[in-house]
Amino acid sequence: MRKVREVIVVEGRYDKNALSQVVDATIITLGGFAVFNDREKLSFLRRLAEERGLIVLTDSDGAGFVIRNYLKGALPKDQVKQAYIPDIHGKERRKRAPGKEGKLGVEGMKPAVLLEALRRAGATFEDGETAAAGSRGDPITKADLFALGLTGGTNSAARRQALLKRLDLPEHLTPNGMLEALNLLYSREAFLDLAAEEHDP
């Protein structure tokens, strides 16, 4: 079991159960939308972010992104890392029916997928391994996305969706969220190579 230095923030207790079987870390549950009205929890999270750093790991559905975006605005950006799980359709074992969008949440992910999401976010593993492939060299910029037709053009939204699907990233990412995720996952060079492949016949 890998030991993670940062505190990991998840939506609910089933997510916490799934994650605690994969990593040895402090895992805090938000109680879903309840965090919006919980000032005490928010100030606790701010303190944890200052002392240890936080990793936000929410579901990849719309509700997960509402919570993630709320935390982005409420917590210091430089002390918070964003971990994303891929869009995988299905339902968790304990549920009778799939969620509204038919996607698996954190609790339904395989251990290897959760570990990879943390690695990609740049989690500090206590055995010395850190990740963030995109942290080397020049970052991917908004100008790169524009030049590739992923923002500001007639077909940009569709192109972004196609790229997100191809890279196994959540479909609800905004252009800014996508830029942040890409910089976590890829070096600029690797991303431009991937994007060039997309345009090759």
Side-chain angles (χ1 to χ4, degrees):
M1 191 177 284
R2 307 296 300 276
K3 191 170 170 58
V4 175
R5 181 181 179 280
E6 291 89 354
V7 173
I8 304 171
V9 179
V10 295
E11 290 178 52
R13 64 191 171 103
Y14 292 105
D15 300 334
K16 180 177 179 172
N17 291 347
L19 202 54
S20 60
Q21 291 169 39
V22 180
V23 290
D24 174 8
T26 304
I27 303 167
I28 304 286
T29 58
L30 297 171
F33 291 147
V35 73
F36 297 160
N37 302 312
D38 194 338
R39 286 184 185 171
E40 281 179 23
K41 183 162 273 182
L42 211 53
S43 70
F44 178 54
L45 290 174
R46 279 196 197 102
R47 205 169 132 211
L48 289 171
E50 278 173 35
E51 288 173 21
R52 300 254 306 272
L54 285 183
I55 297 175
V56 176
L57 178 62
T58 60
D59 294 349
S60 61
D61 61 5
F65 271 82
V66 168
I67 293 168
R68 184 186 293 277
N69 290 332
Y70 171 74
L71 292 177
K72 272 186 185 177
L75 299 169
K77 283 182 178 51
D78 59 330
Q79 295 157 348
V80 180
K81 296 173 180 175
Q82 302 290 334
Y84 298 98
I85 57 169
D87 281 339
I88 298 174
H89 290 273
K91 77 170 189 68
E92 283 83 10
R93 268 189 227 144
R94 71 179 177 86
K95 295 180 179 172
R96 283 194 178 159
K100 198 162 108 182
E101 295 176 36
K103 296 175 188 173
L104 289 175
V106 170
E107 70 168 287
M109 291 292 136
K110 291 183 175 157
V113 174
L114 291 174
L115 206 52
E116 183 59 17
L118 294 172
R119 188 177 283 120
R120 286 173 155 194
T124 310
F125 292 102
E126 293 291 298
D127 54 11
E129 180 198 338
T130 49
S135 62
R136 298 181 297 278
D138 293 331
I140 302 160
T141 64
K142 287 185 178 184
D144 293 325
L145 298 186
F146 182 78
L148 291 164
L150 294 165
T151 58
T154 334
N155 226 2
S156 297
R159 284 182 176 201
R160 269 197 316 277
Q161 284 301 310
L163 184 66
L164 289 170
K165 191 175 177 89
R166 200 174 127 228
L167 300 180
D168 241 355
L169 289 168
E171 65 178 320
H172 289 285
L173 282 175
T174 62
N176 285 341
M178 178 173 130
L179 187 63
E180 179 183 34
L182 290 171
N183 275 306
L184 285 172
L185 304 174
Y186 302 98
S187 66
R188 183 170 184 269
E189 194 180 343
F191 171 66
L192 293 177
D193 287 349
L194 271 172
E197 283 172 28
E198 186 86 356
H199 292 295
D200 285 348

